[in-house]
Amino acid sequence: MTDSDGKPHQGPAAPDGDPAYADRVYRSVPGVISGVLLLVVAAWLIGDAVVSGTGKTPYVSLAAVPVFAFPVIAYTLRPAVSAGRDRLVVRNPWRTIVAPWASVDALHAGYSVELLADGKKYQVWAVPVSLRQRKRATRGQGAGAAEHASRIGLGLGSAAKRTNPVVQGSPDPTRAWSDQVTAVLQDMAERNAGRPAAAGPVEVRWCWWVIAPTLAGLIALITVIAV
């Protein structure tokens, strides 16, 4: 959150005397948009099948709703990363990983973003890696360096082109979005690892509100088709 002057929103002082800020939340906007569109299209198709279908079609369509809807929600709308003063919360499609900063070994952005904590590796679904953005960033950095050199010769200053979304607190806003987020989270891990409240083991919680309806819907779908 930010104030009217664009600075991060500062809340009440924390118990240790430092100002408390709202957690930073990262998620894939294209993923959310695609999830909403898929659900809208599915609702239209299933609704049409229920109203206009004959025989078992309406029942099969209704039984298929949780089998389709909950996985779509899990993979598109649910993933998010929340970074606070004491811990990192990674919300993946089927699990939630709660990692106190002291347990975080590293964050890497290769072909996917990975969290290394307590000797284990976890995928970070909410921060997808875009090779296109990386190529665009490389081109922008090259063009920015050439422009910078030419402007220096003219006595002018210039920064590298920013061709990708900028992440608040990123040390290099010209990089791909996923690389910026990874760098910010890595920096937060290093700065907060020594906090007493940031100690503790990694917790992994299964998302049963997604798993249970999906399994129940699958059983219902198989039953309706078989009967």
Side-chain angles (χ1 to χ4, degrees):
M1 295 176 63
T2 59
D3 294 324
S4 58
D5 57 0
K7 296 180 180 180
H9 175 72
Q10 180 175 325
D16 56 8
D18 293 335
Y21 295 95
D23 291 358
R24 299 185 184 185
V25 179
Y26 304 98
R27 67 197 319 155
S28 172
V29 175
V32 172
I33 293 174
S34 63
V36 171
L37 291 177
L38 282 172
L39 291 174
V40 169
V41 172
W44 176 68
L45 293 175
I46 291 174
D48 181 68
V50 171
V51 173
S52 306
T54 58
K56 294 194 298 185
T57 299
Y59 304 102
V60 172
S61 300
L62 289 175
V65 169
V67 179
F68 178 82
F70 282 96
V72 168
I73 293 172
Y75 281 96
T76 61
L77 305 184
R78 173 176 155 77
V81 174
S82 177
R85 287 163 46 86
D86 302 325
R87 62 183 184 173
L88 177 69
V89 179
V90 178
R91 213 166 63 193
N92 282 340
W94 307 105
R95 300 188 300 176
T96 298
I97 298 94
V98 181
W101 288 120
S103 68
V104 175
D105 301 319
L107 287 113
H108 295 307
Y111 289 105
S112 63
V113 175
E114 298 175 341
L115 165 67
L116 305 179
D118 277 352
K120 295 184 180 180
K121 183 187 298 184
Y122 305 94
Q123 299 292 324
V124 182
W125 282 80
V127 188
V129 171
S130 171
L131 298 180
R132 178 179 298 178
Q133 281 192 1
R134 282 183 176 168
K135 292 179 181 178
R136 188 187 306 150
T138 301
R139 290 195 301 267
Q141 288 170 351
E147 182 182 355
H148 181 67
S150 64
R151 285 179 177 267
I152 287 179
L154 297 174
L156 302 174
S158 175
K161 287 185 178 180
R162 294 180 180 178
T163 56
N164 289 317
V166 177
V167 177
Q168 180 182 359
S170 171
D172 185 359
T174 65
R175 299 176 67 188
W177 179 77
S178 58
D179 295 331
Q180 292 184 61
V181 172
T182 303
V184 170
L185 295 178
Q186 181 65 42
D187 178 67
M188 293 183 68
E190 294 172 357
R191 286 190 291 106
N192 295 306
R195 295 171 49 81
V202 175
E203 298 180 19
V204 179
R205 308 166 185 164
W206 289 97
C207 184
W208 291 109
W209 70 266
V210 172
I211 298 174
T214 302
L215 294 177
L218 182 60
I219 293 173
L221 181 61
I222 294 174
T223 302
V224 170
I225 294 175
V227 172

